[in-house]
């Protein structure tokens, strides 16, 4: 395989999670009588540009299908994060009724609903049908296609260029990262701004957060790598922020190099320097990731087996993609975890890919029958504990497997 950024042959495997089905390929009851497609799940490191990336085995059309079940609006934490972003962007970039905002990977309109509330013209680009339909029911115009340079040319000709392009948690999800960034350049006004949010590779490696690795995530990004890709495609990074989302993320602000008006912040130079000192652009920095993942796996399995041997009943909360990576790497099935509850009604009644653990509604948690509830989307810990704190009164324990085994 060749690097999806610089085309250098890849030879460094920094994480091998065996095989797994796509993390969001949920199963119907009828599917339980059919075989599943499992693919190797490995992370490779380019020793030239230092982009961390999954090994290619499956195309994006097979991953982000019309029945793709992820909907952003079922996380209160994410909704609040998005609302704060829109408030900031409106003020900082002086957005108004004469502006145009475009969100790429707009999902179910979770963010653009706040743009629309402010009467700022906007539309989304979202390739998955279920999410696009939910957004349209909210009154948000949605283009149901994959974003890239060709679509950007068509949109800029038909609708004009954007004052603000938003790309949250999508840069890592595109197989051709250079074409995607080129599309942003094409669609952006000369004086416009684009922001990207993505999981940050530094805490991922340092804390061993392997469960955020799945086939839909093609790339795992450092700031240095993103800075260079943007520059190569005519975009200048003028600011960057560290965020707490997904165990540690970055929000990167870019403008066109040729006509951008924003002064480059010290944050940019400071983070580039910090990564240089960490050795992010060296093979050494990524060594030991496999060992961290395996320790988390063994600790989690030991807990499950010990609890089961003591006659304890175990369920899980949150049918998240990261949970499916954990469960399939650990080889967990419904004999160890009875079911997983989830707020998203589209997931309820289905079964997790690989482990085939049933997904049920929240009402199942109200029954006082379970000893342990494993929180699979650990990044939403505060939200979930706040919503279900009453279970502590009944002796229920909450469990987190990452970044290390913790029982509350």
């Amino acid at each position: 395989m060749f690097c999806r950024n610089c085309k250098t042959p890849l030879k460094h495997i920094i994480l091998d999670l065996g095989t797994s089905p796509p993390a969001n390929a949920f199963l119907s009851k009828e599917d339980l009588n059919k075989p599943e497609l499992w693919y190797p799940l490995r992370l490779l490191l380019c020793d030239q540009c230092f982009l961390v990336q999954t090994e290619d085995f499956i195309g994006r059309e097979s991953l982000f299908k019309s029945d793709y079940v992820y909907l952003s609006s079922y996380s209160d934490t994410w909704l609040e994060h998005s609302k704060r972003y829109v408030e900031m962007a409106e003020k900082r970039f002086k957005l108004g009724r004469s502006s145009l905002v475009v969100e790429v990977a707009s999902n179910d309109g979770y963010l653009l609903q706040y743009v629309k509330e402010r009467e700022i013209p906007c539309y989304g680009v979202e390739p998955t049908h279920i999410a696009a339909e939910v957004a349209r029911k909210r009154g948000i115009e949605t283009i149901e296609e994959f974003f890239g340079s060709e679509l950007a040319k068509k949109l800029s000709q038909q609708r004009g260029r954007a004052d603000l392009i938003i790309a949250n948690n999508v840069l890592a999800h595109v197989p051709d990262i250079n074409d995607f960034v080129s599309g942003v350049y094409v669609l952006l006004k000369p004086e416009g701004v684009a922001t990207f949010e993505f999981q940050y590779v530094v805490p991922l490696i340092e804390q061993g957060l392997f469960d955020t690795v799945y086939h839909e995530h093609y790339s795992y990004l450092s700031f240095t790598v993103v800075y260079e890709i943007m520059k190569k495609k005519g975009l200048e990074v003028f600011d960057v922020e560290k965020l707490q989302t997904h165990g540690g993320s970055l929000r990167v602000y870019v403008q066109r190099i040729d006509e951008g008006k924003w002064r480059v912040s010290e944050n940019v130079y400071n983070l580039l320097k910090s990564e240089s000192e960490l050795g992010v652009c060296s093979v050494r920095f990524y060594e030991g990731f496999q060992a961290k993942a395996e320790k988390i796996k063994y600790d989690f399995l030991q807990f499950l087996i010990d609890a089961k041997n003591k006659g304890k009943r175990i369920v899980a909360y949150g049918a998240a993609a990261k949970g499916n990576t954990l469960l399939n790497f650990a080889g967990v099935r419904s004999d160890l975890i009875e079911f997983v509850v989830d707020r998203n009604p589209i997931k309820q009644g289905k079964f997790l890919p690989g482990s085939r653990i049933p997904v049920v509604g929240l009402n199942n948690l109200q029954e006082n029958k379970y000893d342990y509830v494993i929180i699979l989307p650990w990044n939403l810990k505060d939200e979930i504990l706040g919503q279900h704190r009453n279970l502590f009164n009944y002796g229920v324990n909450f469990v987190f497997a990452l970044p290390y085994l913790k029982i509350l």
Side-chain angles (χ1 to χ4, degrees), residues 245-370:
T245 53
H246 302 291
S249 298
L250 294 180
R251 177 185 291 154
V252 169
Y253 300 76
V254 307
Q255 61 188 349
R256 290 172 59 141
I257 290 176
D258 49 4
E259 298 189 63
K261 64 180 183 180
W262 293 88
R263 179 178 174 273
V264 178
S265 166
E266 286 296 318
N267 296 336
V268 173
Y269 305 118
N270 291 339
L271 190 51
L272 288 172
K273 180 182 178 184
S274 173
E275 288 194 351
S276 176
E277 292 171 349
L278 281 173
V280 168
C281 289
S282 69
V283 176
R284 173 187 53 80
F285 178 77
Y286 303 90
E287 294 173 346
F289 191 23
Q290 182 76 33
K292 292 174 184 176
E294 290 176 357
K295 183 181 188 315
I296 292 168
K297 166 185 172 178
Y298 299 141
D299 289 347
F300 181 53
L301 267 177
Q302 191 65 60
F303 159 75
L304 292 175
I305 293 169
D306 289 347
K308 203 70 176 179
N309 285 337
K310 293 175 183 176
K312 303 297 184 181
R313 297 188 67 182
I314 309 166
V315 298
Y317 186 103
K322 55 171 52 70
N324 291 328
T325 293
L326 169 66
L327 297 175
N328 286 320
F329 182 48
V332 174
R333 300 292 181 266
S334 58
D335 59 327
L336 292 175
I337 297 176
E338 295 181 35
F339 58 76
V340 56
V341 299
D342 198 276
R343 292 174 61 185
N344 185 347
I346 296 174
K347 294 181 180 180
Q348 295 167 13
K350 294 185 181 294
F351 298 80
L352 300 184
S355 66
R356 302 194 168 198
I357 297 171
V359 183
V360 300
L362 290 180
N363 60 303
N364 289 269
L365 264 191
Q366 304 310 314
E367 301 176 10
N368 181 26
K369 297 180 179 179
Y370 311 106

Side-chain angles (χ1 to χ4, degrees), residues 108-124:
D108 60 2
Y110 72 100
L111 184 148
L112 287 181
Q113 64 182 329
Y114 302 118
V115 178
K116 186 176 175 63
E117 282 178 3
R118 289 161 172 76
E119 298 184 343
I120 301 170
C122 64
Y123 66 87

